[in-house]
Amino acid sequence: MMQHGRNNGKKIMAVRIIKHAFEIIHLLTDQNPVQVCVDAIITSGPGEDAPRMGSAGVIRRQAVDISPLCRVNQAIYMI
């Protein structure tokens, strides 16, 4: 679908930004930039969360583990 005016070129701009970022990562670290990105996602995800739990009006926070998919989703969202 064709876009007009200020709405065109957003995907190309995003791809260009990622490409330049990967080139900079490769020049600075001499490593595979995709592997660097994957390692950043793996290490930046939270290990546990503290949701609100309770009944009868008493609410307290309980530490629980997070599933691996949720960890990856939160890491990508925060990056």
Side-chain angles (χ1 to χ4, degrees):
M1 185 170 180
M2 297 295 291
Q3 299 287 330
H4 298 288
R6 66 179 184 176
N7 293 324
N8 60 353
K10 298 289 193 303
K11 188 173 183 179
I12 294 171
M13 182 180 64
V15 169
R16 188 178 300 134
I17 289 170
I18 294 296
K19 184 178 177 183
H20 290 312
F22 279 1
E23 288 176 0
I24 291 170
I25 289 171
H26 177 68
L27 290 174
L28 291 178
T29 62
D30 291 328
Q31 295 178 358
N32 185 0
V34 176
Q35 186 61 45
V36 172
C37 183
V38 168
D39 291 341
I41 290 172
I42 289 171
T43 58
S44 66
E48 60 182 27
D49 191 16
R52 295 169 53 176
M53 303 177 101
S55 61
V58 178
I59 298 174
R60 60 190 175 90
R61 299 183 73 82
Q62 178 71 35
V64 295
D65 291 333
I66 295 181
S67 67
L69 180 63
C70 190
R71 286 184 66 180
V72 170
N73 289 340
Q74 286 187 5
I76 292 172
Y77 175 77
M78 286 189 264
I79 288 179

